[in-house]
Amino acid sequence: MLKGIDPRLNAEVLYALRAMGHGDYLILSDTNFPSDSIAHQTVYGDLLRMDNLTSAEAAEAVLSVLPLDTFVPDFAGRMEIVDAPDEVPPVQAEVQTVIDAAEGEPRKMISIERFAFYDLAKEAYAVIQTGERRFYGCFMLRKGVIPPDA
């Protein structure tokens, strides 16, 4: 255990989050996403895991240390539901609440079509598979910066 570090963040996840640079993408995936095969195509190259956590719990832990990009509108995204792109299921609403809390203000995620999300995930820095079993519990987070005076 470390003081000030969320205990849900394991060493491998912390290493990857620290290694990421400004603008790099992180994928939080549910248990149905092809996480392992896509993770092997990312910069990090191996699948990271945060088992037994929902998407919202994993997002909360990650966002306790990871700043979101403030320079772009696509700082975070959710996988669209097939044939219902505007529908926001509870799993996505929960993560939106976590993002808003981390940012200290409402910042709406963009929606990303399912196959476009797969393509984006292959270009990500890393993929973290959560224990989320609900469908469409897949998210993109873009790393921001921490100013010198923070």
Side-chain angles (χ1 to χ4, degrees):
M1 298 290 288
L2 296 172
K3 288 175 31 176
I5 302 291
D6 190 310
R8 297 173 291 188
L9 295 170
N10 60 55
E12 293 80 14
V13 169
L14 282 170
Y15 175 85
L17 296 177
R18 172 63 178 91
M20 290 173 65
H22 181 212
D24 282 341
Y25 294 112
L26 175 70
I27 300 298
L28 291 180
S29 73
D30 61 29
T31 57
N32 290 299
F33 189 73
S35 300
D36 191 60
S37 61
I38 287 181
H40 288 294
Q41 299 174 62
T42 66
V43 174
Y44 189 75
D46 286 317
L47 179 61
L48 298 166
R49 304 185 72 88
M50 293 180 79
D51 296 319
N52 301 318
L53 297 178
T54 66
S55 292
E57 291 167 337
E60 182 179 46
V62 166
L63 293 176
S64 73
V65 296
L66 183 84
L68 289 174
D69 201 328
T70 58
F71 297 106
V72 295
D74 63 340
F75 65 94
R78 62 179 182 81
M79 181 189 287
E80 288 181 358
I81 295 176
V82 174
D83 297 326
D86 296 326
E87 184 178 334
V88 177
V91 65
Q92 294 180 356
E94 290 169 13
V95 170
Q96 182 64 66
T97 299
V98 168
I99 289 170
D100 293 347
E103 293 294 284
E105 65 182 0
R107 287 189 73 198
K108 188 175 178 183
M109 286 184 280
I110 64 165
S111 63
I112 306 167
E113 186 273 332
R114 178 179 166 220
F115 292 108
F117 191 96
Y118 292 155
D119 291 338
L120 178 71
K122 293 172 188 175
E123 297 175 16
Y125 188 86
V127 174
I128 299 173
Q129 185 175 40
T130 70
E132 183 62 68
R133 295 185 59 201
R134 293 174 289 179
F135 297 147
Y136 296 99
C138 297
F139 303 89
M140 173 277 294
L141 303 173
R142 188 192 293 250
K143 187 175 184 180
V145 297
I146 299 173
D149 58 348

